[in-house]
Amino acid sequence: MITSEFVHLRQDGVSLLVSLASDLVQVLHWGSDLGADPDFESILSATTEPTAHAEGDLPEQHGIWREAARSTTGAPALSGHRNGQDFSPLFVLESFDATETTLVVNGVDRVAGLGIETSFRFVGAGVMVTATTVTNLASGKYFLNELASYLPLPDRAMESLDFSGRWVKERQPIRRQIQPGVISREVREGRSSHDYTIVQMALSAGAQYRAGEAWSMGLMFSGNSKHTIEQLQSGRKAISAGELLMPGEIILDEGQSHSSAEVAAIYSDKGIDGVTDRSYRWLRSRSNHPTNIRPRPLTLNVWEAVYFDHDLARLTELAKVAEEIGVERFVLDDGWFGSRRDDSKGLGDWVVSDEVWPEGLGPLVDVVKKHGMEFGLWFEGEMVNPDSDLYRAHPDWILSAGGRVPPTGRGQLVLDLTNPDCYQQVLSQVDAVLSAYDISYIKWDHNRPLVEPGHGGQAAVHKQTEAIYRLFSQLKQNHPGLEIESCASGGGRIDLGMAQVVDRFWVSDCNDALERQQIQRYTQIAIPPEMLGSHIGPTESHTTGRVHNLGFRAITALFGHAGLEWDITQTSPEERELLTSWVSYYKAKRDLIHSGQMVRVETANDSSLVHGVVSQDGTAALFAYVTTAGQGPSRPNALRLEGLNPATSYRVKAVFPVGKPVFQERTSPAWLDGVTMTGAALSQIGLRPPILFPENALLIEIEAL
Ligand code: DGJ
């Protein structure tokens, strides 16, 4: 609803209520739907604030731009200056444009010579995308420090949830109280990073997976970032996300504009899973979402099978076994090009190596195709090893500052894709390989953080990030149907910006199922499983040394875009049989796993996890019960299943497509062979699980009767 002073946007149970007056544009509410006809004037009156001693004479006014000129003591949305001047803008509303689901507000500060435009767009499933553009309207350069998106939080937002991590242990949850001060998650790696939160949430007190309120923000950008939750001494709270700009990175001449990265703002009154549900429905509604094109092919990546040991005979053996098991896509990883026989040299030379592939990649591609699979190939196009033909020819094509070569990382430097010649070289080399062979998929790696990322003396992360988006779009345009997987030493570049341009993320270099249970669980908070590569790794994990049975590894890998990353030529006949059965199970269930609602059930202990996928119509579901450690009580806690229709009767049974998990079997629960229960009983009473050994998983199938 729109009046001259209020705009009320609504979608799918979410409202954004904004009051617009010439001197203040203010979000009065972002949260649950207020109904078709809220009484704007009363809400404005009800929310008028008292003033306290020792503060301004007027209450702080948190307009959408949070200018200090309104007595706002929090961080401003816009920060910058014109050679030290115009540091404190005050915007006056010039115009606005609104529909039922979008609002665009224009403000101007004639003194500071700045124009500002903020948009709020509901893009489906109640997800709101917001962004701001600032324009320099005056003479003299405007130095932009920060341009972030803020939304107010209600007082009852008491806790925060975000995610941190490192290589092989990405996305570990951090839950804390919101207290005075700022909870800030900043990334300065020039890529989203292993430590990137993907989304940051404020929660009502004690909110759970499926209860309570959540207000979430996630930056749709893959460079430097900042997510904050702020509580001022007045108690006012706000959540923000924005690009973290480096000094001097954005300088606007008169007439120039800069648009902030977009931010996806998601409100849920159905707990954390409610945020997940909206995020999935939004991403899945895109016409280019991978499952809207075709089912996600079961993938074999040969990295942990052969590493740099590329050999046609060996890879042919792998391809044969892969076909026998039912693999649909075969991916050749690092080591096929230039002098790249180990990780110290060759990056930047995207020409097939004569040494290891004397007849080119053709013979391998033919073998893979003959065995009925698609062929995929690895690149790391933003990087160069000093020991490479490219670097010898163009040592100046790297991001750097101060006229020095930045420290290397994994023995490599970062190419300056903001240099058109360098960009063109990478594009044409990659393009030539994709044109020469039938390649339907590329895994694109990014194995080091950016250090001193300058172009011509100026910080260039923003432009470098735009360049990689452009390059991916160009490659997709040149090679229709090409899929791209974003990898950065595992999960170092998973974000909602990259999610718009790629089809898959490599979630982690850790294929240890125990670690993966956690890493996948929390990466899936915002990104749906069909976009998350999850492979069965070797029996003994290469990154942790842990040994897990095949069932645990396979059930863990099932809840994603599943695959294998293991020397399957070394598997026993029994293992192959189980793998074949698992692959056909994945094929039978992928439509459900890749379209349903994600459900995470609260457990009464921290030594087991329950998660599952329920079809959108509630008629089918698949759950996993996972023991991450030995159970406390001798009789394990009830296994409750949520997200089902309470009144519907379901047939519930344990299934063993990869053999039985290990459990004490003096007596086994009767329901394993099948039981009929309502959704209400499954959620309230649950099933008594068998006594699983630690680090085991049980799969439970559910069908409505
Ligand atoms: C890091 C990736 O995460 C691995 O999967 C693999 O592709 C290596 N790089 C190759 O160098």
Side-chain angles (χ1 to χ4, degrees), residues 517-584:
Q517 279 291 333
Q518 298 279 337
I519 298 170
Q520 290 174 195
R521 185 180 189 84
Y522 299 113
T523 309
Q524 286 172 351
I525 293 273
I527 313 274
E530 61 270 24
M531 295 189 77
L532 299 174
S534 54
H535 296 173
I536 300 181
T539 311
E540 180 178 331
S541 163
H542 289 189
T543 54
T544 65
R546 280 199 195 102
V547 172
H548 288 127
N549 64 51
L550 183 54
F552 183 44
R553 281 143 60 220
I555 291 173
T556 302
L558 185 67
F559 289 85
H561 178 189
L564 294 151
E565 190 147 344
W566 178 20
D567 185 355
I568 46 175
T569 61
Q570 300 304 305
T571 47
S572 65
E574 194 206 350
E575 282 173 323
R576 278 187 210 178
E577 208 175 295
L578 289 171
L579 283 173
T580 308
S581 151
W582 173 75
V583 168
S584 52

Side-chain angles (χ1 to χ4, degrees), residues 618-620 645 647-652 675-679 702-705:
T619 58
N645 294 333
T648 303
S649 282
Y650 294 95
R651 187 74 188 153
V652 180
V675 65
T676 299
M677 282 172 87
T678 61
I702 294 155
E703 294 285 342
L705 289 176

Side-chain angles (χ1 to χ4, degrees), residues 580-636:
T580 308
S581 151
W582 173 75
V583 168
S584 52
Y585 192 78
Y586 166 75
K587 290 177 183 169
K589 292 291 173 187
R590 65 184 153 193
D591 282 353
L592 167 65
I593 297 169
H594 296 165
S595 67
Q597 284 194 31
M598 180 65 63
V599 175
R600 304 169 192 93
V601 182
E602 304 289 338
T603 48
N605 57 64
D606 53 14
S607 53
S608 66
L609 297 169
V610 180
H611 63 87
V613 175
V614 177
S615 66
Q616 296 294 342
D617 63 3
T619 58
L622 186 65
F623 275 83
Y625 166 70
V626 179
T627 51
T628 54
Q631 300 303 288
S634 61
R635 179 204 69 160

Side-chain angles (χ1 to χ4, degrees), residues 167 301 303 308 333-334 340 343 378 380 410 443 445 447 487-491 506 508-509 565:
W167 179 65
N301 180 300
W303 177 241
F308 287 100
D333 211 280
D334 197 354
R340 186 79 169 171
D343 70 6
W378 181 94
E380 192 178 2
R410 207 193 189 204
K443 173 178 174 184
D445 218 331
N447 280 304
C487 171
S489 301
W506 184 226
S508 178
D509 274 353
E565 190 147 344

